[in-house]
Amino acid sequence: MAEIYSYTSTAPVNIATLKYWGKRNISLNLPTNSSVSVTLDQSDLRAITTAATSSSFTKDRLWLNGTEEDIDKSARLSTCVRELRKLRIEYEEKLTTEKKKIIPLSTYKLHIISENNFPTAAGLASSAAGFAALVSSVAGLYELPQTPEELSVLARQGSGSACRSLFGGYVAWDMGVKEDGSDSKAVSVAPREHWPDMRALILVANANKKDVSSTSGMQTTVATSSLFKERIETVVPERYEAMKKAIVDKDFESFAELTMRDSNQFHAVCLDSYPPIFYLNDTSRAAIRTVEEINKHAGKTVAAYTFDAGPNCVIYFLEENAEKVIGPIRSALANAEGWNSTEIAASLPEGFEQRWLEVLSAGVSRVYFTKVGDGPKKSDETLIGADGEPKK
Amino acid sequence: MAEIYSYTSTAPVNIATLKYWGKRNISLNLPTNSSVSVTLDQSDLRAITTAATSSSFTKDRLWLNGTEEDIDKSARLSTCVRELRKLRIEYEEKLTTEKKKIIPLSTYKLHIISENNFPTAAGLASSAAGFAALVSSVAGLYELPQTPEELSVLARQGSGSACRSLFGGYVAWDMGVKEDGSDSKAVSVAPREHWPDMRALILVANANKKDVSSTSGMQTTVATSSLFKERIETVVPERYEAMKKAIVDKDFESFAELTMRDSNQFHAVCLDSYPPIFYLNDTSRAAIRTVEEINKHAGKTVAAYTFDAGPNCVIYFLEENAEKVIGPIRSALANAEGWNSTEIAASLPEGFEQRWLEVLSAGVSRVYFTKVGDGPKKSDETLIGADGEPKK
């Protein structure tokens, strides 16, 4: 077998604080509104991808969590691979013009091996991390000169919110105005170091199968919700500026209120769709009431809930308030998996309303306690074996 | 004791198909939008009120389901009583001018005794029926010449949606434009006889205490939902005309779709409120999915769900489709109380999705199977004893 060139990259999950919901162009994944997210630490949640290429490989192949998938059957995967190869071709042409030495990797087939360190089905933005890792690893393998912003345009075509996982810290996805989508990309609002004390606690709800997939849900909303237009034309543009400002100013209370209101409004337009779409369940509602109770007892907004297209609650808070937030939740979820070495003990302020904690206790059996993190990174690990297939 | 004059009236519950949510004037109960409802048959759900007066009575008194309430402590009750007495004074003055014989009932105190034939706490529009019965009984006692439309203005001041219970059949509440609320009243869209085959099945959810009262919920929505304005300014005015037309045309499919969409949107603006308001729970969602499944199997829209400010589902359908609607639900709720002599048996079409029925089965233990009904009626019963207090 000829030499195998490979590059391994990890990429993070991101959880939006201003929600992406609605496509104005389905094949290009162009959104109806801009969005903002926080990138989460990769030690808890990440995708890792090894991209490899060799003149010996006979076709583009992809393995996802140990199972081979047919790239040709996924338009989104094919697009990402095609666009990355196109950039490599441009790069090779440039090197040729400059009379530099090149290896014609663009002419070789790719083997891509990707894994998450968390269950895909948990509804934790696995496709965002996955497509970001795919783009990062192939871009690394191809030594592409493109910036993360430029690469985010490709990741976006794989999975909309994947574009935001190309950056660490606090990230905006500018919806852009161009028809070809070339300006619909992620930009950094602030790096992790700007506001490093942001924490995230994820309550994984004992979920049934997801009610409606995000892609079809979005289309239903765009087509049928009579309140949706008001959201994207009036509400989100204002919130987009306010959210970025709250991050730049490290103004947690504004950040939190905007986050909660926007999560609620996203689920409101889902409910205003026809037929209605539900992602929140009784466990989600109990999580909302618990966060409200935590804030009430703290005397100010120290925690913010947000929900993506599923019942899992993500709670943002600052390190200085960790005990106030973790204490009551841990008292309800003492037996949940995932607390690991967290030293913050269960504790319940006097008079804390118990009824929602009881619902939480019955509905959540897994947590992730994590924090704001960095963008994609090169990894020394490799997922590929000497035979060009996933290591056993 | 001097002679006791009394009059007993029953009044129905009504369930909106275009929802009332939001007050533009809180003390006058003036709504932010017009609404439409169906009045339900009084043999299943009704309030009954005896209004009595006598020169022997020393103060206005009221008993509600056997417990005496302090009229002075309820601004809404006091207003209704005061306004009714004012109309009686006008009437007595008119009779005096015409030199007719009168008994000066307006100068006597009132004893009002009211009862529901269903649990108040069940969240079944008991206050609407109650205030309608109160207004009807006192108006009957006072022999007032006012029309139901005119009386509905008084009932509205007791409880907004009570105004719609002054009519049978299909009823609109025109929001009106005047500041004093004198044109904010109920009008008949069509009497029961126009479309008598409308049926309603109410699934009473095993409810916890209501999350947020309607009155405070409405105010939160008006003050905080950024989508609410679009609803009241654009969406509802269109639906108001469309809903009335669907009723006049007896167009069930249009009626049903509007009903479902408007219930969803009402709950959507609740969720868009801050803090968010939830009335639907997992049982409610299961009811929605069950209705969707019933419609799918029927090949057309034969049933429509709607929810007021609580988790109970009201399902509207036509008599001709009763088996299609009742069959699957009864199969899940065979042991629920309230089927009474309903002859329609449990039956499940082949391939009917079971998972929502299972949730329903766990969450509902009481049904009411009823139909469109008439407005308030004089009753031969009386709730008052010879001592001027509730009969023992």
Side-chain angles (χ1 to χ4, degrees):
Chain A
M1 179 174 286
E3 183 168 358
I4 296 175
Y5 302 90
S6 78
Y7 187 100
T8 302
S9 183
T10 64
V13 161
N14 73 77
I15 301 289
T17 56
L18 189 62
K19 299 297 188 190
Y20 158 49
W21 192 253
K23 300 181 204 258
R24 66 180 199 271
N25 179 314
I26 292 163
S27 60
L28 288 174
N29 267 348
L30 297 180
T32 52
N33 59 267
S34 297
S35 53
V36 176
S37 59
V38 177
T39 294
L40 300 184
D41 193 287
Q42 296 182 47
S43 55
D44 297 296
L45 298 162
R46 57 138 184 73
I48 179 167
T49 302
T50 296
T53 195
S54 165
S55 61
S56 303
F57 292 172
T58 56
K59 62 182 283 243
D60 291 335
R61 298 173 71 182
L62 178 131
W63 291 262
L64 189 57
N65 293 319
T67 307
E68 184 163 7
E69 309 278 333
D70 189 342
I71 294 183
D72 295 336
K73 284 199 178 145
S74 162
R76 303 206 176 281
L77 278 172
S78 313
T79 300
C80 277
V81 168
R82 187 181 65 239
E83 294 296 318
L84 285 160
R85 190 169 270 136
K86 208 186 282 176
L87 293 178
R88 171 70 189 181
I89 292 170
E90 283 171 19
Y91 180 58
E92 290 176 6
E93 285 168 353
K94 180 168 165 287
L95 292 183
T96 306
T97 312
E98 294 169 2
K99 315 267 187 219
K100 291 192 179 138
K101 175 181 160 242
I102 58 158
I103 306 163
L105 298 186
S106 69
T107 64
Y108 304 167
K109 297 298 176 186
L110 284 164
H111 283 189
I112 298 167
I113 305 164
S114 189
E115 283 173 12
N116 299 325
N117 65 347
F118 59 96
T120 307
L124 292 169
S126 53
S127 68
F131 273 102
L134 184 152
V135 168
S136 300
S137 60
V138 178
L141 174 67
Y142 283 173
E143 299 179 320
L144 297 180
Q146 273 74 20
T147 63
E149 273 188 30
E150 290 166 327
L151 291 175
S152 79
V153 174
L154 299 196
R156 188 206 75 221
Q157 293 173 67
S159 166
S161 53
C163 71
R164 295 187 309 238
S165 279
L166 267 290
F167 289 87
Y170 303 84
V171 189
W173 173 8
D174 255 325
M175 63 181 288
V177 295
K178 293 190 186 164
E179 281 206 20
D180 69 357
S182 57
D183 61 347
S184 185
K185 63 187 179 192
V187 293
S188 175
V189 177
R192 180 185 60 73
E193 300 78 16
H194 169 74
W195 204 7
D197 40 350
M198 183 67 75
R199 300 291 173 267
L201 179 67
I202 306 176
L203 310 180
V204 182
N206 303 334
N208 294 315
K209 210 180 64 182
K210 195 187 261 197
D211 196 44
V212 178
S213 81
S214 312
T215 302
S216 90
M218 282 186 199
Q219 276 146 246
T220 301
T221 300
V222 172
T224 65
S225 164
S226 47
L227 300 177
F228 182 67
K229 193 161 160 277
E230 178 70 8
R231 165 168 171 76
I232 61 169
E233 289 182 359
T234 309
V235 182
V236 175
E238 282 172 27
R239 287 184 181 168
Y240 186 54
E241 298 310 321
M243 180 68 81
K244 289 191 289 186
K245 184 174 186 308
I247 291 167
V248 170
D249 296 346
K250 296 191 266 190
D251 172 357
F252 185 81
E253 296 203 44
S254 300
F255 169 87
E257 183 171 328
L258 284 164
T259 295
M260 293 187 276
R261 281 180 180 260
D262 205 65
S263 174
N264 295 336
Q265 185 167 97
F266 150 47
H267 294 283
V269 297
C270 285
L271 181 46
D272 187 49
S273 305
Y274 190 77
I277 303 161
F278 295 94
Y279 293 118
L280 305 181
N281 62 19
D282 287 354
T283 304
S284 316
R285 173 164 60 163
I288 289 175
R289 296 301 185 225
T290 299
V291 167
E292 290 173 351
E293 187 75 6
I294 287 169
N295 289 333
K296 195 181 94 183
H297 281 268
K300 62 176 181 170
T301 306
V302 297
Y305 55 78
T306 187
F307 298 82
D308 281 348
N312 300 332
C313 185
V314 178
I315 304 173
Y316 285 120
F317 55 99
L318 297 178
E319 172 61 23
E320 67 197 49
N321 295 311
E323 288 187 20
K324 291 194 175 84
V325 180
I326 299 285
I329 294 175
R330 195 162 186 178
S331 79
L333 300 179
N335 300 319
E337 192 190 346
W339 291 111
N340 301 334
S341 58
T342 311
E343 285 183 9
I344 302 164
S347 71
L348 210 54
E350 209 181 300
F352 198 97
E353 170 71 54
Q354 301 269 347
R355 61 196 264 238
W356 304 114
L357 291 178
E358 286 161 20
V359 179
L360 269 195
S361 180
V364 174
S365 50
R366 187 20 157 149
V367 303
Y368 288 94
F369 179 26
T370 183
K371 55 182 187 281
V372 59
D374 292 313
K377 280 183 189 159
K378 184 177 191 326
S379 168
D380 295 332
E381 239 186 286
T382 183
L383 304 180
I384 201 165
D387 61 352
E389 298 202 6
K391 278 201 214 167
K392 297 300 172 288
Chain B
M1 178 172 289
E3 183 168 0
I4 296 175
Y5 302 89
S6 79
Y7 188 99
T8 301
S9 183
T10 63
V13 160
N14 72 79
I15 301 288
T17 56
L18 190 62
K19 298 298 186 189
Y20 158 48
W21 192 252
K23 300 180 201 256
R24 67 179 198 273
N25 178 315
I26 292 164
S27 61
L28 288 173
N29 267 349
L30 297 178
T32 51
N33 59 267
S34 296
S35 54
V36 177
S37 59
V38 177
T39 294
L40 300 185
D41 194 287
Q42 296 181 49
S43 56
D44 298 295
L45 298 163
R46 58 137 183 73
I48 179 166
T49 302
T50 296
T53 196
S54 164
S55 61
S56 305
F57 293 171
T58 56
K59 62 185 282 247
D60 290 335
R61 297 175 69 183
L62 178 131
W63 291 262
L64 189 57
N65 294 318
T67 307
E68 184 163 7
E69 309 277 335
D70 188 343
I71 294 184
D72 295 336
K73 285 199 178 144
S74 162
R76 303 207 175 281
L77 278 171
S78 314
T79 301
C80 277
V81 168
R82 186 182 66 238
E83 295 296 317
L84 286 159
R85 189 169 270 136
K86 206 186 285 177
L87 293 178
R88 173 68 189 182
I89 293 170
E90 282 171 20
Y91 180 59
E92 289 177 6
E93 284 168 354
K94 181 168 166 286
L95 291 184
T96 307
T97 312
E98 291 169 3
K99 315 260 188 223
K100 291 192 178 139
K101 174 180 161 242
I102 57 159
I103 307 164
L105 299 187
S106 70
T107 64
Y108 304 168
K109 298 298 178 187
L110 285 164
H111 283 189
I112 300 167
I113 305 164
S114 189
E115 283 173 13
N116 299 325
N117 65 347
F118 57 96
T120 306
L124 291 169
S126 53
S127 68
F131 274 101
L134 184 152
V135 168
S136 300
S137 60
V138 178
L141 173 67
Y142 283 172
E143 298 179 322
L144 298 180
Q146 274 73 19
T147 63
E149 272 188 32
E150 290 166 326
L151 291 176
S152 80
V153 174
L154 299 196
R156 188 206 74 222
Q157 293 173 68
S159 167
S161 54
C163 70
R164 295 186 311 237
S165 279
L166 267 290
F167 288 88
Y170 303 84
V171 189
W173 174 7
D174 255 323
M175 63 181 287
V177 294
K178 294 189 186 165
E179 280 204 23
D180 70 356
S182 57
D183 60 346
S184 187
K185 63 187 180 190
V187 294
S188 175
V189 178
R192 181 186 59 74
E193 301 77 16
H194 168 73
W195 205 5
D197 40 349
M198 184 68 74
R199 299 291 174 267
L201 179 67
I202 305 176
L203 310 180
V204 182
N206 302 336
N208 294 315
K209 209 181 66 183
K210 195 187 263 198
D211 195 44
V212 178
S213 81
S214 311
T215 301
S216 90
M218 281 186 198
Q219 277 147 246
T220 301
T221 300
V222 172
T224 65
S225 165
S226 47
L227 300 177
F228 182 66
K229 193 160 162 276
E230 178 71 8
R231 165 167 171 76
I232 62 170
E233 288 183 0
T234 309
V235 181
V236 175
E238 281 172 27
R239 286 184 182 168
Y240 187 54
E241 298 310 319
M243 180 68 82
K244 290 190 289 187
K245 184 174 187 307
I247 291 167
V248 170
D249 296 346
K250 296 191 268 192
D251 172 357
F252 185 82
E253 296 203 43
S254 299
F255 168 87
E257 183 171 330
L258 284 165
T259 295
M260 293 187 276
R261 281 179 179 259
D262 206 65
S263 174
N264 295 336
Q265 185 166 95
F266 151 46
H267 294 283
V269 297
C270 285
L271 180 47
D272 187 49
S273 305
Y274 189 78
I277 302 160
F278 295 93
Y279 293 119
L280 306 181
N281 62 19
D282 287 354
T283 303
S284 316
R285 172 163 61 162
I288 289 175
R289 296 299 185 226
T290 298
V291 168
E292 289 174 352
E293 187 75 6
I294 287 168
N295 288 334
K296 196 181 94 183
H297 280 269
K300 63 176 181 170
T301 305
V302 298
Y305 56 78
T306 187
F307 298 82
D308 281 347
N312 300 332
C313 185
V314 178
I315 304 173
Y316 285 119
F317 55 98
L318 297 178
E319 172 61 24
E320 67 197 48
N321 295 311
E323 289 186 20
K324 291 194 176 82
V325 179
I326 298 284
I329 293 175
R330 195 163 187 178
S331 79
L333 301 178
N335 300 320
E337 192 191 346
W339 292 111
N340 301 335
S341 59
T342 313
E343 285 181 10
I344 302 164
S347 70
L348 209 53
E350 209 181 302
F352 198 96
E353 170 72 53
Q354 301 267 348
R355 60 195 264 236
W356 304 113
L357 292 178
E358 286 161 20
V359 179
L360 269 195
S361 180
V364 175
S365 51
R366 182 38 155 136
V367 303
Y368 289 93
F369 180 24
T370 183
K371 54 183 189 279
V372 59
D374 292 315
K377 279 184 191 160
K378 183 178 193 324
S379 169
D380 295 332
E381 240 185 287
T382 182
L383 304 181
I384 201 164
D387 61 354
E389 299 202 7
K391 279 200 213 166
K392 298 300 173 286

